[in-house]
Amino acid sequence: EMKGKRVSSMGAESPCIAQDAAVGEWAEEGASMTLTLPGKSDTDYNMWYIQTLHGEGSAGDDSVRFVLEGSDDAEAWEVVGASGFLPYYSQVVLTKALAPTPVGRGEYFVIDSHMSESHVFAFVYLNIIFYVGMIVSIVIAPYRPKLVPLAFQSSMWFQFVMRMIVAVVMHFEERGETPHHNSVFQILTSLNYALSALLLIVAQEWLECV
């Protein structure tokens, strides 16, 4: 529910209510619905919700695939939401996938097209951890050179294990019509780190023999 300019994060338990809709004018044309507001909102809305129809037997009329467009002049329209979304590498792509519409009548479901925690962890935090490890290895190189290969290997094996775990989590998040781009990408990245660690071990042994 709106409290000043802050939005609650209760999700499906407490859907965010955009009060502007109460003062707007609704118009229906075929399968399209248009909400015209008297002016721009003072508040930014970061998510929205859909409520299923009331009454027994109305499930067949629920919206399951749709797009939300916004315009300042009713001429140029921009897609700002959709029934589905896909975190694709470093961005979120809006899709027309089937919405996870509840079966119950009069129930809410929130559409929050933010990146999942697993996505942020894989594409942000794991990269930061890797770069920090590389910097530490470079810093200790003049003082403890023998520890540098071990530090590099440990960092790569850590990335291999963590990204494999993230790939499994992403696989279960990518359900329905969602492509498995991110989980496959994490598996390939994980294998790349493992191969790099093995090549580093082989190179180290070869140099010691020479």
Side-chain angles (χ1 to χ4, degrees):
E1 167 176 352
M2 299 302 301
K3 297 179 181 179
K5 291 189 176 182
R6 296 169 54 190
V7 181
S8 68
S9 57
M10 292 298 291
E13 296 181 10
S14 180
C16 304
I17 308 285
Q19 299 295 341
D20 301 316
V23 297
E25 296 183 0
W26 286 96
E28 296 186 28
E29 183 179 351
S32 299
M33 299 178 64
T34 304
L35 171 63
T36 303
L37 302 175
K40 289 188 176 182
S41 172
D42 294 329
T43 304
D44 292 331
Y45 300 113
N46 297 319
M47 64 181 71
W48 51 297
Y49 75 92
I50 299 295
Q51 183 180 17
T52 58
L53 297 172
H54 292 275
E56 296 296 329
S58 61
D61 295 325
D62 286 332
S63 298
V64 294
R65 194 191 301 268
F66 45 84
V67 294
L68 175 65
E69 297 178 319
S71 173
D72 291 328
D73 56 10
E75 295 291 337
W77 293 86
E78 179 182 355
V79 177
V80 296
S83 53
F85 64 93
L86 169 66
Y88 188 74
Y89 300 117
S90 61
Q91 61 183 340
V92 174
V93 179
L94 298 176
T95 68
K96 297 179 181 179
L98 292 175
T101 310
V103 177
R105 301 296 82 208
E107 292 187 6
Y108 297 93
F109 69 97
V110 175
I111 299 180
D112 180 9
S113 55
H114 286 83
M115 291 186 180
S116 65
E117 294 179 357
S118 62
H119 193 93
V120 175
F121 180 71
F123 287 91
V124 178
Y125 293 116
L126 280 180
N127 289 335
I128 292 176
I129 292 173
F130 178 74
Y131 294 135
V132 169
M134 296 300 98
I135 293 173
V136 171
S137 300
I138 294 173
V139 170
I140 68 173
Y143 309 100
R144 304 291 296 273
K146 292 185 179 180
L147 291 180
V148 174
L150 179 61
F152 269 92
Q153 294 171 26
S154 298
S155 179
M156 291 177 181
W157 286 121
F158 174 81
Q159 292 288 327
F160 166 71
V161 173
M162 296 307 299
R163 290 183 185 276
M164 274 297 184
I165 294 174
V166 170
V168 173
V169 174
M170 286 183 170
H171 173 74
F172 287 103
E173 290 179 345
E174 298 167 332
R175 60 187 183 279
E177 298 182 17
T178 305
H180 294 272
H181 295 303
N182 294 309
S183 58
V184 172
F185 178 81
Q186 291 304 318
I187 291 175
L188 295 177
T189 304
S190 177
L191 294 176
N192 179 65
Y193 277 110
L195 178 60
S196 299
L198 292 174
L199 290 175
L200 185 60
I201 294 173
V202 172
Q204 184 180 2
E205 293 178 350
W206 181 80
L207 289 174
E208 290 177 353
C209 292
V210 174

